[in-house]
Amino acid sequence: MANLLEELVTKALDGRAPTRDEALALLDEDPHSPDVLDVVAAGSRVRRHFFGRRVKLNTIINMKSGLCPEDCGYCSQRLGASSDILKYSWIKPEEAAETADRAAEAGAKRICLVASGRGPGQRDIGRIAETIAAIKQKQPGVEICACLGLLSEGQGEQLAEAGTYAYNHNLNTNEARYADICSTHTFTDRVDTVRQATGAGLSPCSGALFGMGESDEDIVDLAFELRALDPDSVPINFLIPFEGTPLSERWDLTPQRCLRIVALFRFCFPDVEVRLAGGREIHLRGMQPMALHLANSIFLGDYLTSEGEDGEQDRRMIADAGFTIEGADERTLPESRRDLVTIRRRGTGTELPANA
């Protein structure tokens, strides 16, 4: 098994992906498979080679919360969800800019503007453009990522012209089981949006969500399907089982399982930003510092509808683990390529400040 990990490290440093059998071996928790600590140690060599000990901080601003017409089974904002979350229409650009300013001052390098819904209308594109302008007045150096759902023709170019740096649209699960989690749009719809964003000159950001009952084979399929899209950033989310959603009873993940998944994505995306995203606090728990030896990026503060850890606690975790926060003037990508669930009651859409 030591030979397997050495082979994976050699491939990753050369920019090559694991074979399907090698990827499956990383996820296997059989006693004869590589120990999770050895897997993390091997993945850490790849992470350090391309990203050193830098950790990039990102923050989410939920521009419009709840009332989504899509029926994604994992989402607390979905059609028919009874989750007790914040629901509000578009916040004003000034409110978003204030939140972005606080996050940037706390170390966030990327600001993610997210809005629920199937996709943006022209008025929504205008709102995002106004918000970007307001943010850039005080924080001209931050990266702006938009996450607005399915894009129509030409909208990617409009967002790029408005100052958007990246576009996020996660695949979430593999093509073969996509219909099991959503019926209102398809896997192909999501792939098309990522390709549209890339074609418009936006940095493609597309990742995954785990803990929905997927098999090892499903995870590997998704990793290869994502690799085919050549994203610059791959967020790794773990299911937050909100009450009032179809997946509210799924508590399948363990910290060890999560570490193996993150390691697989590091080997599949050796020189790409791999980001710890939603659910990390719930499922990685005390193993979050170990996950930093694989991922080079995390979200700071709250998520869309759930609260994250205190920002100071995250920054302290990064320092205690021996890592440093990436500065705004540092290159993210290597030069080689361009009861545990807390409903969010602070930040955008409320009168309370965000916790970044």
Side-chain angles (χ1 to χ4, degrees):
M1 290 305 171
N3 290 338
L4 166 65
L5 295 177
E6 283 297 327
E7 175 66 15
L8 287 174
V9 170
T10 299
K11 283 185 172 182
L13 297 184
D14 196 35
R16 293 179 289 139
T19 66
R20 184 176 182 82
D21 286 343
E22 289 169 340
L24 287 169
L26 287 174
L27 297 174
D28 192 350
E29 297 185 36
D30 182 272
H32 299 293
S33 298
D35 183 82
V36 67
L37 295 179
D38 294 330
V39 171
V40 171
S44 178
R45 291 169 57 189
V46 179
R47 184 248 199 267
R48 290 198 309 273
H49 177 84
F50 289 106
F51 300 99
R53 289 190 168 272
R54 305 191 315 275
V55 176
K56 181 178 177 179
L57 300 184
N58 315 261
T59 201
I60 289 175
I61 299 178
N62 196 357
M63 301 290 295
K64 179 167 74 80
S65 183
L67 307 174
C68 184
E70 304 301 289
D71 70 354
C72 306
Y74 52 82
C75 186
S76 60
Q77 304 183 85
R78 73 187 295 272
L79 178 68
S82 59
S83 307
D84 183 25
I85 62 169
L86 288 168
K87 297 180 177 69
Y88 53 83
S89 189
W90 287 87
I91 64 171
K92 294 181 179 179
E94 296 77 18
E95 182 180 358
E98 183 180 345
T99 301
D101 187 49
R102 284 197 301 270
E105 292 300 320
K109 184 174 177 179
R110 177 175 290 193
I111 307 297
C112 302
L113 304 178
V114 186
S116 62
R118 181 177 177 83
Q122 283 306 111
R123 188 177 180 187
D124 300 331
I125 298 290
R127 289 182 173 114
I128 291 296
E130 291 177 15
T131 301
I132 293 173
I135 292 173
K136 293 284 189 176
Q137 283 184 356
K138 284 191 175 181
Q139 300 294 339
V142 298
E143 299 173 357
I144 302 293
C145 179
C147 179
L148 310 173
L150 303 174
L151 291 176
S152 299
E153 186 174 351
Q155 288 185 327
E157 287 79 2
Q158 289 177 303
L159 288 168
E161 186 177 348
T164 307
Y165 173 79
Y167 196 82
N168 167 259
H169 199 62
N170 296 330
L171 298 188
N172 288 322
T173 197
N174 57 309
E175 183 175 14
R177 69 186 304 267
Y178 196 84
D180 294 340
I181 66 166
C182 181
S183 68
T184 50
H185 60 264
T186 67
F187 183 88
T188 300
D189 291 332
R190 287 189 171 261
V191 168
D192 288 346
T193 283
V194 176
R195 287 177 173 157
Q196 279 195 53
T198 305
L202 298 170
S203 176
C205 173
S206 188
L209 172 63
F210 300 106
M212 299 186 290
E214 62 280 340
S215 66
D216 289 359
E217 290 78 8
D218 292 325
I219 295 172
V220 172
D221 284 346
L222 176 56
F224 290 166
E225 287 163 350
L226 275 168
R227 187 175 165 91
L229 293 177
D230 197 23
D232 290 335
S233 177
V234 181
I236 304 298
N237 296 275
F238 303 108
L239 178 69
I240 301 177
F242 284 98
E243 290 187 12
T245 66
L247 298 178
S248 62
E249 299 304 316
R250 296 225 71 125
W251 295 88
D252 305 337
L253 296 171
T254 65
Q256 293 77 18
R257 176 71 165 169
C258 294
L259 287 173
R260 288 182 181 276
I261 290 170
V262 180
L264 168 63
F265 276 75
R266 174 48 70 203
F267 284 117
C268 286
F269 299 91
D271 57 353
V272 168
E273 180 182 344
V274 174
R275 182 185 307 141
L276 297 179
R280 62 179 170 90
E281 300 92 341
I282 295 171
H283 296 292
L284 278 163
R285 300 191 287 278
M287 304 298 270
Q288 288 186 78
M290 187 171 289
L292 290 177
H293 288 273
L294 299 166
N296 63 294
S297 180
I298 67 170
F299 276 110
L300 179 73
D302 297 326
Y303 301 102
L304 291 173
T305 59
S306 66
E307 294 184 355
E309 287 181 335
D310 179 76
E312 180 55 37
Q313 183 177 344
D314 276 339
R315 290 188 290 272
R316 189 162 53 244
M317 174 185 70
I318 291 167
D320 288 349
F323 294 92
T324 59
I325 293 173
E326 183 176 302
D329 57 345
E330 293 179 280
R331 178 189 294 268
T332 298
L333 296 176
E335 293 185 4
S336 59
R337 64 164 291 141
R338 317 180 314 155
D339 111 52
L340 292 178
V341 178
T342 304
I343 300 296
R344 183 172 67 84
R345 304 294 186 194
R346 61 194 176 202
T348 54
T350 75
E351 296 181 357
L352 298 176
N355 76 334

